[in-house]
Amino acid sequence: MSIDPGFTRGHGHPIEGVPWSRWDYTSSPTALGISNLREFQFTSIPADTPKGDKTNWSGEILTGSWAHVALVNDPATMSTTMYVDGAPVLRNATDTAGMAFNSDMPWILGADWVDDAATGGWNGCIGETRIIDRPTTPEEWLTQRADLSDLTVGTAPEGMLQADVDSVLFAGTGFPGADVTVAELVVSSGMSVRSAGDLSGASTVVEADGSWQIEVTSGLTAGEHSVTLTQSLGSRAALPTIVNFAIAEPATEPVDPEAPVDPSEPVTPTDPSDPADAGESPDDAAQADPAADSSDDLAVTGTDATVFWTIGAMAMSVIIAGAVLLTVMRRRAQV
């Protein structure tokens, strides 16, 4: 039950002609509402109706918050006890065996019933309601529903992890028997959207002592990760806890030119006459030997050119010597 913050204290409206020790016979035999002092008030007539009405009052109830109210009528103890959020109130009813019933007078929750009409309601809400045919104990009430919001994460990766990380550990406390599941969010950054989905699916069950841990060894890719940890029981799940971390990119190792050669790798032999193998560029070779830049189909090497010019010079010398000798012999014949 919940009381709206706008509720204000007021004065009761006594019904004229009804003694304080008796019940207004136009009212319902059982009613749960809010008193003029902002208290939970439960009024009921026991099975022995001549005893008149029996009433339970709580302490003052704060507005704007929900409260669990349980009313237990126990014929064995001849009592009706009110519990607010699992704790019994001080002003309870005694000498109440059973509860009266009148087919023409309904039981009212949140108001009263006077002169065949609902009255005295309050500005508030009523949630789930159960009426049980026997006395119950706190272990059977809705207050015992598991509180899944108590998940804690004491151990989790954070910041920038090394590129060679091979596992990350999540650990904490939760509700015994509940499931804790890891899932990865869709991360938005500016205009780009990255959906990792690498770590999703890992899960565990909270131990009896309330502890849990999950070790993830797969899906640890480089980049940013936003991971949710959610505690659940069946179809019920609490709001997730978010953990953010990142994994560094693998470093690229530079090649050392002076590093020893692996003898297992094949070595290509070099040709000393090839300028490329001798550490000489084709342009350097062309400048050292102009004939190497010839446009002929067959390039002339430096050695072949030297032999050619030597033979030509010797032939010219022989021709000139023969011509001189022939001239001398002709002059001698004329004399």
Side-chain angles (χ1 to χ4, degrees), residues 32 49 76 155 199 210 279 310:
L32 172 62
T49 55
T155 301
L199 308 181
T310 301

Side-chain angles (χ1 to χ4, degrees), residues 154-231:
T155 301
E158 59 181 347
M160 181 68 71
L161 306 184
Q162 296 182 357
D164 59 352
V165 62
D166 57 5
S167 67
V168 291
L169 181 66
F170 303 90
T173 61
F175 186 84
D179 296 320
V180 179
T181 305
V182 175
E184 194 148 10
L185 289 174
V186 175
V187 180
S188 299
S189 177
M191 298 299 294
S192 63
V193 178
R194 179 182 66 82
S195 177
D198 300 322
L199 308 181
S200 299
S203 63
T204 189
V205 178
V206 181
E207 301 289 345
D209 63 358
S211 64
W212 63 269
Q213 71 174 26
I214 300 175
E215 184 178 11
V216 179
T217 58
S218 62
L220 300 174
T221 56
E224 297 181 356
H225 293 269
S226 290
V227 175
T228 64
L229 295 160
T230 305
Q231 183 170 227

Side-chain angles (χ1 to χ4, degrees), residues 234-288:
S235 60
R236 293 179 56 224
L239 293 176
T241 299
I242 300 176
V243 175
N244 297 309
F245 65 96
I247 299 177
E249 295 285 347
T252 303
E253 297 184 1
V255 179
D256 185 1
E258 298 181 359
V261 178
D262 187 352
S264 63
E265 296 182 358
V267 179
T268 304
T270 60
D271 183 0
S273 64
D274 188 350
D277 291 340
E280 185 179 29
S281 67
D283 292 340
D284 293 339
Q287 292 177 3

